[in-house]
Amino acid sequence: MPDSTFLDSTELVLNMGPQHPSTHGVLRVILKLDGEKVLGTECVIGYLHRGVEKIAENRTYAQFNPYVDRMDYVAAISNGLGYCLAVEKMLNVEAPPRAQAIRVILTELNRIASHLLWLGTHALDIGAITPVFYCLREREEALKIFEKYCGARLTTHAFRIGGLLYETYDGFEQDIRDFCAMFVPHVDEYEELLTNNRIWIGRLKDVGILNADECKEFGVTGPVLRAAGVKWDLRKAQPYSGYEKYDFEIPTRQNGDTYDRYIVRMQEMRQSVRIMQQAVEAIPEGPIMGKVGKVIKPPVGEAYVSIEAPKGELGYYVVSDGSTQPYRVRVRPPCFVNLQALDRMIRGGLVADVVAVIGTLDIVLGEIDR
Amino acid sequence: MADEQKPGGSEAAPPPGGEAAKEPGKTAVEAPKPAPPKPALPPPKPPAIMVATPWESELARELKESFGEGIGETSTYLGQNFIVAKPGSAIPILEYLKLESDFDYLVDITAVDWPKRADRFDVVYILYSFSRNERVRVKIHIPDGYQPETAVGVHLTADWLEREVMPDEWQGYPLRKDHGILQQDERWVQENLGIESGQ
Amino acid sequence: MRGLLNKIFLVDLFQGLWVTFRNQHPKYIYTERYPEERPKVAERYRGAPRLNINPDNGETLCISCNLCALACPETLIVVTSERNEVTKRKDLTTFTYDTSRCMFCGLCEDACPVDALELTQDFEMATYTREGQIWDRQMLEEGPKPTQYKC
């Protein structure tokens, strides 16, 4: 005779992470489950905390530049661009046109690299093992260009305040053209693998819905917001670094589910290629460094500058007290804010959906914990 | 909405980490602390100040009319507008901006520590409006120990942004200016991590 | 109708399989046979630091100006020097570089006014001890000597 409690169904608290491979780093999610159904979640973050904002207050402006690469380490160039733009804003200088064009090319290439890593790991989480190999293969080509340009593949430290340190190498333009020509057929290939695949659709359609109002409420930005139908991209809304010169679309979808976010990111990669193709044909001649002294000393004041990073709005709020070190640097990380919506997206869903939703948020824990 | 008080998924505060307070609804820096006896500071001399110019616009006028005393200053610096408000009126201003002026996206909440000032902390709310494509910052100056109201009732996203993501028992506030960069809660590290020091 | 047929004949799945089949082609093989075949890193690669010596007379190029130490965000470079009474210049005595803390940002090499300190293309810097990561002047001038594997 079994114990009477044997057939009881109680709520189960399940710990997912911090070493779970599908949490993309050291995210710990505490799930409250009723059978397979998710009743609620709690995120435990901070395992990768390094105190970047405190470090900033103890470094000079130029010295802090390599640290920002280490926040969102799969999109280091975007981080660097945001920080450089913020300090340039405070110094009231602008990078020369040539530097801006090169910055745009590298940032878009980085967006592709970031989205490729997202696609590979997201598909791997869902159970599609093949795409990750192809994605990393193409990402390798992008990283090779970074390595040739600035000497590092991941934490690039590619930009300097006021412009660029490195001139392009011989054959840079050709490398970018080759990459663009090579890459578009590969995106078609990923789409052939996934877009119409019945398992893929079954796992992603109507999972983790976040509609436009909820997105705004939670401050969610980036592809997640665009998949909910809000046509908003900082590159168009408040162009920086010469993005207004390029012709590109903001891909949007209406349902705001995981499948739509997948489609939006795939489209974004195609648009990035478009921007790169336009930019590489029109790199102006001229200097690559603006009028910035050797010692960077912005006047007393503050500025908030944000860019469209691959994950969403990445902002830097910099306060200067007139010395060579920033008085305060606050980073507005897109992943941190986007992760907040996780609970809303999976409450009521199934355990298997948790993996899909974490994947679709495209989080990088280095940026969440800073 | 129903669960405004306990917004999604964050009943348990996310522990160690980056920015803000220990409980929801308590902004980063001013979490209560055994207030150290404050030496009477001489009035700080303002050597160089931010050269901000007054912000003249419809919105600034509207706000001044609606809040009167609650708004200290509406200025613009480097083309970025900000409002300095009385601590108590920050949340009503956020609400007004959200409902009347379409500033429906709270980008960020942060704080700056100015140890020499009487009202030691700046709490900064950065807002954005999708329809106007405009940003505005709302700043309040608060003394040590003051607990401003939470903004979660207006913007759900404030929930995580307001938290200090540190272990609950941790002593000290690492982002304050008087906290050295190598300083840490040795006792916590020894008890919880089993190592002599994190350095 | 067409959708139904696609569903019955598993068109979407075969489409995906065809992609994987195409990618079987040997030209898509990307394996690097690392210790035997050493990868070619880019010319600007920022790897192991090196303190350059003047090839003509074997003396160090470093003028002990300490700019690299000041530029380093991690303050991991320590330069000591003593004043040479004959030439009235500073002579380098020791140069310590803690590679365990280095993040290879390249700020030291940018700061160097005489191109003495340089981040080279060497990338094999593993040692068995933490102390081995702290490089002295001799190590910096000679560079790391990784084991060469023959294939």
Side-chain angles (χ1 to χ4, degrees):
Chain A
M1 206 39 201
D3 190 298
S4 67
T5 56
F6 185 71
L7 288 174
D8 266 9
S9 66
T10 48
E11 286 171 6
L12 175 72
V13 175
L14 188 72
N15 194 26
M16 181 169 158
Q19 266 93 13
H20 194 284
S22 76
T23 56
H24 295 222
V26 282
L27 170 68
R28 178 171 159 218
V29 186
I30 300 168
L31 302 166
K32 204 198 255 175
L33 303 175
D34 175 17
E36 279 280 302
K37 216 175 129 200
V38 179
L39 298 178
T41 62
E42 282 166 18
C43 291
V44 181
I45 56 174
Y47 295 97
L48 206 56
H49 179 57
R50 291 148 295 175
V52 166
E53 291 172 10
K54 188 75 183 176
I55 290 174
E57 295 169 17
N58 293 276
R59 300 284 184 274
T60 64
Y61 284 92
Q63 277 180 346
F64 183 57
N65 204 353
Y67 289 90
V68 297
D69 291 351
R70 283 153 180 82
M71 288 189 300
D72 182 357
Y73 40 78
V74 297
I77 291 187
S78 298
N79 283 263
L81 178 66
Y83 176 68
C84 289
L85 286 174
V87 182
E88 281 161 19
K89 173 104 186 166
M90 303 196 60
L91 290 165
N92 221 345
V93 295
E94 210 173 50
R98 181 174 173 83
Q100 288 192 353
I102 296 169
R103 279 178 173 188
V104 166
I105 294 171
L106 289 171
T107 314
E108 290 308 315
L109 193 60
N110 202 185
R111 187 183 312 275
I112 290 174
S114 167
H115 280 1
L116 280 176
L117 191 75
W118 158 79
L119 177 64
T121 50
H122 182 41
L124 197 63
D125 291 346
I126 303 292
I129 298 176
T130 318
V132 70
F133 301 117
Y134 302 163
C135 289
L136 292 187
R137 183 182 67 198
E138 272 75 73
R139 181 167 174 265
E140 182 67 25
E141 298 301 319
L143 297 190
K144 271 185 192 155
I145 295 177
F146 297 152
E147 186 185 324
K148 277 192 196 166
Y149 172 71
C150 60
R153 291 154 53 87
L154 201 67
T155 47
T156 47
H157 194 201
F159 305 148
R160 298 295 192 275
I161 294 157
L164 302 171
L165 176 70
Y166 305 105
E167 191 42 89
T168 53
Y169 59 89
D170 290 336
F172 174 76
E173 288 90 345
Q174 195 52 45
D175 274 0
I176 298 289
R177 280 185 208 115
D178 289 349
F179 180 86
C180 294
M182 173 278 289
F183 186 63
V184 176
H186 279 300
V187 183
D188 297 337
E189 218 172 68
Y190 311 141
E191 294 228 43
E192 256 177 74
L193 270 176
L194 296 172
T195 306
N196 294 320
N197 186 302
R198 64 188 67 189
I199 307 168
W200 185 252
I201 294 173
R203 285 295 305 275
L204 298 192
K205 265 257 154 81
D206 299 326
V207 167
I209 295 176
L210 199 68
N211 64 34
D213 288 339
E214 284 171 327
C215 279
K216 287 180 186 172
E217 194 73 38
F218 279 107
V220 169
T221 45
V224 185
L225 179 70
R226 291 190 280 273
V230 181
K231 207 177 171 88
W232 186 75
D233 188 318
L234 271 170
R235 291 175 290 175
K236 285 269 193 211
Q238 299 185 336
Y240 52 88
S241 199
Y243 267 107
E244 67 278 1
K245 284 184 284 197
Y246 309 113
D247 175 36
F248 64 99
E249 308 276 317
I250 308 173
T252 52
R253 297 277 286 190
Q254 296 309 317
N255 301 331
D257 60 3
T258 306
Y259 186 75
D260 280 2
R261 291 189 276 271
Y262 155 75
I263 297 283
V264 164
R265 289 205 177 92
M266 297 307 274
Q267 297 295 334
E268 262 179 34
M269 288 201 264
R270 293 176 193 273
Q271 297 300 329
S272 290
V273 169
R274 258 180 84 185
I275 298 172
M276 278 161 60
Q277 279 169 335
Q278 292 167 42
V280 79
E281 297 309 329
I283 303 180
E285 292 297 319
I288 52 168
M289 197 67 189
K291 285 197 180 64
V292 176
K294 250 199 150 31
V295 179
I296 294 160
K297 221 171 162 180
V300 179
E302 56 180 41
Y304 176 82
V305 173
S306 59
I307 62 159
E308 185 73 28
K311 276 98 186 166
E313 176 179 350
L314 171 73
Y316 286 88
Y317 176 67
V318 185
V319 181
S320 161
D321 62 348
S323 69
T324 54
Q325 296 181 338
Y327 191 77
R328 174 94 170 91
V329 175
R330 159 72 185 173
V331 187
R332 191 265 183 205
C335 297
F336 178 77
V337 182
N338 288 3
L339 182 65
Q340 199 179 173
L342 177 74
D343 183 75
R344 179 63 57 92
M345 290 159 85
I346 48 182
R347 196 167 274 202
L350 303 177
V351 182
D353 297 342
V354 177
V355 172
V357 172
I358 292 175
T360 190
L361 280 173
D362 192 12
I363 49 170
V364 168
L365 270 294
E367 187 175 71
I368 292 171
D369 299 341
R370 277 162 293 138
Chain B
M1 62 194 51
D3 53 354
E4 222 153 73
Q5 292 308 310
K6 275 195 168 184
S10 24
E11 289 92 342
E19 236 297 57
K22 288 188 173 174
E23 291 158 36
K26 205 192 280 176
T27 311
V29 278
E30 70 296 337
K33 191 187 184 187
K38 232 196 247 163
L41 289 169
K45 56 173 171 58
I49 48 159
M50 185 159 78
V51 196
T53 45
W55 172 34
E56 302 289 352
S57 79
E58 195 66 31
L59 183 65
R61 256 196 308 284
E62 260 175 50
L63 278 168
K64 273 191 173 151
E65 270 167 31
S66 313
F67 290 93
E69 281 292 292
I71 293 199
E73 176 192 348
T74 50
S75 312
T76 177
Y77 180 69
L78 292 173
Q80 300 184 343
N81 306 321
F82 64 91
I83 302 163
V84 181
K86 291 262 156 42
S89 49
I91 303 307
I93 289 175
L94 292 189
E95 199 163 7
Y96 178 89
L97 284 171
K98 182 184 180 185
L99 299 176
E100 307 291 326
S101 315
D102 243 1
F103 281 89
D104 46 359
Y105 164 30
L106 178 66
V107 181
D108 202 358
I109 302 176
T110 185
V112 187
D113 182 8
W114 303 91
K116 287 189 186 141
R117 219 171 55 187
D119 290 338
R120 186 172 164 182
F121 300 109
D122 275 358
V123 177
V124 187
Y125 301 86
I126 304 172
L127 297 165
Y128 177 80
S129 160
F130 284 100
S131 54
R132 306 160 76 112
N133 190 17
E134 218 181 295
R135 277 180 207 285
V136 69
R137 288 197 294 268
V138 179
K139 281 209 253 185
I140 53 176
H141 304 312
I142 55 165
D144 198 357
Y146 180 88
Q147 282 191 32
E149 279 178 74
T150 173
V152 173
V154 187
H155 295 278
L156 269 183
T157 177
D159 185 18
W160 278 27
L161 294 172
E162 280 177 357
R163 288 156 186 265
E164 176 93 58
V165 228
M166 292 293 287
D168 284 341
E169 321 86 55
W170 188 276
Q171 296 292 316
Y173 300 94
L175 281 173
R176 291 188 178 197
K177 281 286 170 188
D178 46 19
H179 200 98
I181 189 167
L182 294 180
Q183 196 183 334
Q184 58 175 325
D185 186 358
E186 300 266 332
R187 196 187 51 79
W188 189 92
V189 170
Q190 283 162 11
E191 276 174 15
N192 290 277
L193 304 180
I195 52 173
E196 254 319 290
S197 161
Q199 297 302 336
Chain C
M1 186 63 198
R2 204 187 155 136
L4 186 70
L5 281 178
N6 280 349
K7 215 161 203 163
I8 291 168
F9 291 108
L10 306 173
V11 171
D12 51 329
L13 298 184
F14 282 115
Q15 207 183 10
L17 278 176
W18 174 232
V19 173
T20 40
F21 184 77
R22 280 203 315 254
N23 278 282
Q24 304 275 325
H25 195 281
K27 76 173 177 185
Y28 292 119
I29 293 176
Y30 269 72
T31 314
E32 285 185 8
R33 312 188 58 81
Y34 163 54
E36 289 95 15
E37 269 175 48
R38 297 158 63 75
K40 262 190 124 152
V41 295
E43 218 169 279
R44 293 177 181 178
Y45 187 79
R46 301 198 297 260
R50 183 176 65 202
L51 204 55
N52 288 332
I53 49 174
N54 190 339
D56 299 333
N57 53 15
E59 280 175 17
T60 182
L61 285 174
C62 178
I63 53 167
S64 327
C65 63
N66 210 30
L67 282 177
C68 50
L70 292 174
C72 180
E74 286 288 330
T75 54
L76 53 82
I77 302 174
V78 178
V79 185
T80 58
S81 58
E82 61 185 18
R83 197 180 150 83
N84 188 327
E85 289 303 325
V86 185
T87 56
K88 303 278 181 218
R89 282 206 223 131
K90 285 195 279 188
D91 275 358
L92 183 68
T93 46
T94 63
F95 194 105
T96 327
Y97 192 110
D98 184 354
T99 55
S100 67
R101 275 154 58 207
C102 183
M103 54 184 176
F104 304 98
C105 62
L107 284 172
C108 53
E109 111 188 294
D110 300 348
C112 187
V114 289
D115 290 334
L117 188 62
E118 195 185 332
L119 295 181
T120 60
Q121 286 163 290
D122 294 323
F123 53 88
E124 289 146 316
M125 302 162 64
T127 55
Y128 285 99
T129 56
R130 275 176 186 253
E131 289 71 38
Q133 296 276 328
I134 301 171
W135 290 14
D136 57 8
R137 184 178 163 187
Q138 187 196 356
M139 181 79 177
L140 283 165
E141 283 174 353
E142 288 169 1
K145 296 189 189 70
T147 319
Q148 298 285 338
Y149 294 89
K150 304 255 156 49
C151 55

